[in-house]
Amino acid sequence: MAVPSPALGTLLRTGPFDAALRAAIRARGLSLDRLREHLHARGVSVTTATLSYWQSGRSRPQRRDSVRGVRQLEVVLDVPPGSLVALLGSPRARRSTAAEMGRFWPDGGRIDAAVSDVDTRWDERLTRISQHDVVTVGPEREELAFHSRQVLRAEADGPDRWVVILHLDEHDRPLPEVRSLRGCQAGRSVHKPEDGLLVVELLFGRPLVRGETVITEHTLVNRAPHPLATNYERKFRLPVREYVLEIRFDPAAVPAVCRRFVEHDGQPAEYADVVPESGAVHGVALNFGPGRYGFDWEWDAS
């Protein structure tokens, strides 16, 4: 095994993983295609795109087979055994954030499995300053779109993405499309139509430095046949300073009964009747979370 250069040696000790991998590939002088071929010869199936994502920081190896691939990368790149894997953290640490993401869903295991395929490492390093959701309900009582605006602050150097999770109650409907991005672009996504799940990375323009804020907006647009709109809620694993939720109903589909519900972590949900005004309802929560916040509604039987 060759002795790494001082710069590479430092990166292999301190990370981050993507920078260390990038430097190791550069030092070895291999193209990503050649690297993929070497790994394939060692029984590791990985695409050139995945290697590119790993070295650019757009995603990280988290699953067991991916970590096995990193161990083989260490051999091919001629770096000390375990040096790259160590930069990923312990298996428990790699799983903990993804597992926590599903805690407020009835079937959290399916959420955890979907989220494990995207990069959630920065989730706890982003303070939720403000979040504003707008749900649009169409004339046939259908869910048309969900628009969200976030103001986030980095609590460490490096956060470069925000992970969005959407769950549709009706699993036989097409998953929505991500549109109208502002302050971000779509990264990796996981589609689980059989579970009604969509998970998307929203990549910032660049990594944030500690104390820096970012504003992102995105819209999830449902496709026909649209799911029936009966409720909407936001689940908060971590607290938010201000949360605003609006439900906008088409004039032909204003519900007869509408309720706001608030569930603080570990406590029963609290419900309050709300009367739509000008075809809409809204709620504001300050310093909220962990917990759930949302609305449900019903129409006349006619």
Side-chain angles (χ1 to χ4, degrees):
M1 182 185 68
V3 177
S5 68
L8 175 56
T10 299
L11 284 172
L12 290 172
R13 290 191 303 272
T14 65
F17 171 80
D18 53 292
L21 176 60
R22 192 164 56 248
I25 293 173
R26 185 166 52 246
R28 188 71 169 82
L30 291 174
S31 69
L32 295 184
D33 283 333
R34 285 291 296 148
L35 193 55
R36 179 186 59 78
E37 291 171 3
H38 278 289
L39 291 172
H40 182 74
R42 292 177 170 273
V44 176
S45 178
V46 62
T47 67
T48 303
T50 296
L51 292 171
S52 177
Y53 283 167
W54 288 356
Q55 73 161 356
S56 67
R58 289 188 65 184
S59 67
R60 281 165 64 90
Q62 296 188 55
R63 308 183 79 170
R64 183 177 302 175
D65 55 347
S66 296
V67 175
R68 186 176 73 87
V70 174
R71 295 191 186 281
Q72 294 302 317
L73 266 175
E74 293 169 346
V75 177
V76 175
L77 296 175
D78 202 19
V79 298
S83 56
L84 288 173
V85 170
L87 296 177
L88 297 173
S90 68
R92 181 177 180 180
R94 291 196 298 271
R95 294 193 300 265
S96 62
T97 300
E100 279 285 305
M101 302 286 273
R103 62 183 294 193
F104 289 109
W105 271 268
D107 190 352
R110 296 189 180 189
I111 303 294
D112 300 341
V115 172
S116 69
D117 286 335
V118 298
D119 188 348
T120 59
R121 61 181 153 148
W122 297 115
D123 189 65
E124 295 185 1
R125 302 298 183 91
L126 289 167
T127 293
R128 286 77 166 153
I129 302 295
S130 176
Q131 292 182 254
H132 187 168
D133 292 340
V134 178
V135 181
T136 304
V137 179
E140 302 299 323
R141 306 178 180 181
E142 74 274 32
E143 293 177 353
L144 291 180
F146 314 92
H147 180 81
S148 295
R149 175 182 180 272
Q150 289 76 224
V151 181
L152 308 167
R153 185 182 68 206
E155 302 304 334
D157 293 343
D160 63 352
R161 70 198 64 205
W162 170 258
V163 175
V164 173
I165 305 172
L166 179 77
H167 177 253
L168 295 180
D169 293 330
E170 299 181 45
H171 298 176
D172 59 341
R173 306 291 179 168
L175 293 176
E177 299 179 56
V178 182
R179 298 182 188 171
S180 304
L181 296 170
R182 174 176 176 259
C184 58
Q185 61 179 339
R188 297 185 70 181
S189 62
V190 178
H191 296 73
K192 300 280 187 180
E194 67 278 10
D195 297 328
L197 277 174
L198 173 66
V199 180
V200 182
E201 294 176 341
L202 298 182
L203 307 178
F204 309 148
R206 57 178 174 77
L208 305 179
V209 299
R210 183 175 181 179
E212 189 175 7
T213 55
V214 64
I215 300 174
T216 69
E217 294 186 45
H218 68 277
T219 302
L220 298 174
V221 181
N222 276 320
R223 293 174 285 183
H226 299 88
L228 178 68
T230 59
N231 65 86
Y232 180 87
E233 66 180 44
R234 168 80 76 163
K235 298 173 175 66
F236 293 94
R237 185 177 71 90
L238 298 172
V240 61
R241 299 276 185 88
E242 175 198 69
Y243 177 57
V244 180
L245 172 57
E246 293 184 72
I247 314 294
R248 298 177 182 175
F249 300 96
D250 187 275
V254 178
V257 177
C258 190
R259 300 187 305 172
R260 179 179 63 246
F261 60 88
V262 179
E263 180 185 316
H264 298 282
D265 192 14
Q267 301 181 22
E270 301 174 0
Y271 291 85
D273 292 337
V274 180
V275 178
E277 296 183 9
S278 301
V281 294
H282 80 274
V284 179
L286 301 177
N287 299 315
F288 182 79
R292 300 186 304 131
Y293 188 99
F295 289 93
D296 60 24
W297 53 86
E298 298 176 7
W299 284 278
D300 289 328
S302 58

